[in-house]
Amino acid sequence: MSGSKFHPLTPGVRLMQRVRLSAKLALVATPLLVSQAVGLAAALGAFGAGRSDSALAIGGGAFALAAYFAFAFHASFSRSLQTLHTGVKAVSGGDLSHKIDLPGQDELHHIGSLVESMNVRLSSLVAEIRSSAVRVGMSGQLVATSSESLAQRTEEQAASLRQTVETVHQLTEAVSANASAASQLDQLTERLKKEAEQGGTAMRSSVEAMAGLEDSSRRVGEIIGVIDGIAFQTNILALNAAVEAARAGEAGRGFAVVAAEVRQLAQRSAAASSEIRQLIARSGEQVESSVRQTRAVGQVLDALVGGVRNVSTSLRQIAEASARQSGELTQVSQSVGQLDEITRQNAAMVEESAGASQDLVGRAKTLSSAVASIRLRQGSADEARALVEKAMKLIKARGLTAAAQTFRAKDGGFLDRDLYVFVVDRNGAYRVHGAKPAMEGHRVHELPGIDGDRFVRDAFATAGGAGGWIEYDIVNPGTGAVQPKASFVVQLDEQQVVGCGVYRLTGQAAFAKA
């Protein structure tokens, strides 16, 4: 009853597929009852002799019609039941891609439709689980890798902090020693300042005493001048006395002797006075020079006292600052020590996080392996990524132009259910569209339900390195409804990305970024 050849049961089978079970039973039972009624009436002689043959013909025809409907019912029921059995068996074997299509409007058709809807929903759920498991595994692997790197950097940071703690401790001790030395030096400078001030006072006293000595020397010089005057006058008087004694003759001879002695005495006094004057002059010069030098030394000593006073003030400030720095460095040392402890705790937490991430990766792999054997109606994340990686290898081996022909070919291995490879440039134009070559040259913005600018921006922002996933909404050509989609994209060059996407269940949470 299959193929293009006509079969006598075909109309009956089609009729049986269009009616409900009660109608089917009525179609079988009614002719059968008519046949039985006609046969019973004929047996009881209800028909005349002329009508008995016609009654038997009607009864036979009714029975034949009942048999026909019975055979049609059996054929339609067997065919539908076999189709349903094959579909359920495929599902039980993990093949959710098998489509159950029962013709008609009867109960088996509705049961088949429910099973088909269940398969579609189950396939979508398994695809979502499989894709999520793959994506979670990728995210977990990335987190694990990042955690290992973070753990290493944290350990290095902890080692650096330990070295910093030791350095700060040594610096604290050095600053404390400097503060103590500065304090001792401040005390020594204070004593030196006092002694310098006392020396300055003594020097000022010496300058004043030298000034008095200078005044005394000047006074002595004045007295010597008076003595010179007296000696000169005495010499004149002695000369006059000698002249008068010569005039007096013999009578003035003794007076002349006295006058000569007086003259000699005056001359000796003048000579002594002249010598004393020279000595006093030299002494005065020496005293004046000593006074100038003493005054200069006094000025230098005053400057030295001022410098010592400034040094003492600076050293006191340095001592106070060093004491404050020593206290602050002690606090810094304590804080760095606490930070070192926190860093150690962070390192331990990072190691625990790395272990948890590895466990998450293992569980995701287990979950992915559990559903990997199920044949789905739509592609999953691992299949989309594998298809992109396969496409990249083909492009590198043969070039984009030659590879594009394979991407479009039905037997090229790149068209699988709703999976296909696409190549998009920075303007959003399709360079390659494996499923719809007619879209090549058109922008992705022309597709209904998609934000083209965001798609292009996210694609080129994510495709670098080993590639990544982007999320967007787009019309599913199979259902005609806007549906979330996730595509794995890899950058081909500066102007193009290669990708493959999978549809997700509407309303489901977005995949974690991998």
Side-chain angles (χ1 to χ4, degrees), residues 74-147:
H74 177 270
S76 65
F77 184 82
S78 299
R79 183 183 302 176
S80 297
L81 190 62
Q82 181 63 35
T83 301
L84 185 61
H85 177 270
T86 302
V88 174
K89 183 177 180 181
V91 173
S92 65
D95 184 7
L96 299 180
S97 64
H98 182 82
K99 186 175 182 179
I100 300 176
D101 186 11
L102 294 177
Q105 300 293 328
D106 60 355
E107 286 82 359
L108 289 179
H109 168 77
H110 290 295
I111 293 174
S113 297
L114 292 176
V115 174
E116 174 67 13
S117 298
M118 181 189 69
N119 289 349
V120 172
R121 183 64 177 173
L122 186 59
S123 178
S124 299
L125 287 174
V126 173
E128 189 78 11
I129 293 172
R130 183 171 172 178
S131 297
S132 298
V134 172
R135 297 285 297 280
V136 168
M138 294 169 58
S139 299
Q141 185 62 47
L142 180 62
V143 171
T145 303
S146 300
S147 297

Side-chain angles (χ1 to χ4, degrees), residues 288-337:
E288 184 178 1
S289 176
S290 297
V291 168
R292 287 196 303 270
Q293 293 177 359
T294 302
R295 286 177 178 171
V297 171
Q299 294 174 354
V300 172
L301 189 58
D302 288 339
L304 178 61
V305 171
V308 170
R309 186 179 295 109
N310 294 334
V311 170
S312 178
T313 302
S314 299
L315 283 175
R316 184 175 296 108
Q317 294 174 352
I318 292 174
E320 294 175 353
S322 297
R324 288 195 303 270
Q325 291 175 357
S326 178
E328 293 171 355
L329 280 173
T330 301
Q331 295 178 356
V332 170
S333 179
Q334 295 174 354
S335 300
V336 174

